[in-house]
Amino acid sequence: MKFIFLFCFLLLQAFIFNITQDPILEESIKRGSDIYSDFCVTCHLPNGEGVDGEYPPLAKSDFLMKNRVQSIMTIKYGAEGEIIVNGKTFNNTMAPLGLADDEIADVMNYITNSWGNENDKMITEEEVSKIKK
């Protein structure tokens, strides 16, 4: 009987945590959308598809979803050199955007939850602040 009670209690806690987490993530995604429109849309386009051979896609991006830390580092510090995204090679430069850690978290939450990407682990300002060059 105690086991069933404990199980139900833990299940309820997990449910409550997920409910309270969603509005926080939704607000982050909303802010990230605005940041994307200001800083990213020129190269990666409104639909996140990028420019073939020039700027990698963010839509349904295997690189973005499998390389969380490197993706954050790219936004935070910029990047140069070759990467492979969805089987295609891109070799270009991305300058650092000058965003604060909270803004990087927000734009990462937006792009990792848009255009066919699904991220079940929210990116936080604290996580971004711990990532060093």
Side-chain angles (χ1 to χ4, degrees):
M1 183 69 168
K2 288 181 183 180
F3 176 75
I4 293 173
F5 175 77
L6 181 61
F7 177 76
C8 290
F9 177 76
L10 292 174
L11 190 63
L12 180 62
Q13 291 298 316
F15 179 73
I16 290 170
F17 178 77
N18 284 335
I19 288 175
T20 59
Q21 189 72 3
D22 286 345
I24 295 168
L25 179 58
E26 286 177 21
E27 283 300 312
S28 177
I29 290 170
K30 188 175 177 183
R31 290 187 305 267
S33 174
D34 292 338
I35 295 165
Y36 184 86
S37 294
D38 289 342
F39 291 89
C40 313
V41 74
T42 302
C43 298
H44 296 285
L45 305 182
N47 57 9
E49 291 184 5
V51 177
D52 200 30
E54 292 294 320
Y55 305 110
L58 302 174
K60 298 179 185 173
S61 171
D62 61 349
F63 182 89
L64 176 66
M65 300 309 292
K66 292 178 184 175
N67 299 284
R68 181 180 177 110
V69 171
Q70 189 173 355
S71 296
I72 293 169
M73 285 182 70
T74 298
I75 296 170
K76 192 170 184 173
Y77 301 111
E80 189 174 327
E82 195 172 276
I83 62 168
I84 298 172
V85 181
N86 299 342
K88 294 184 179 181
T89 302
F90 295 85
N91 190 1
N92 212 330
T93 300
M94 180 172 156
L97 302 176
L99 299 174
D101 290 345
D102 63 325
E103 294 171 315
I104 294 169
D106 289 342
V107 78
M108 280 292 296
N109 284 319
Y110 173 67
I111 63 178
T112 61
N113 287 287
S114 299
W115 316 299
N117 298 321
E118 291 182 29
N119 183 10
D120 57 359
K121 185 177 179 221
M122 184 174 166
I123 296 149
T124 65
E125 178 181 357
E126 180 182 5
E127 177 184 357
V128 174
S129 72
K130 291 179 181 177
I131 295 174
K132 305 297 179 199
K133 199 170 190 181

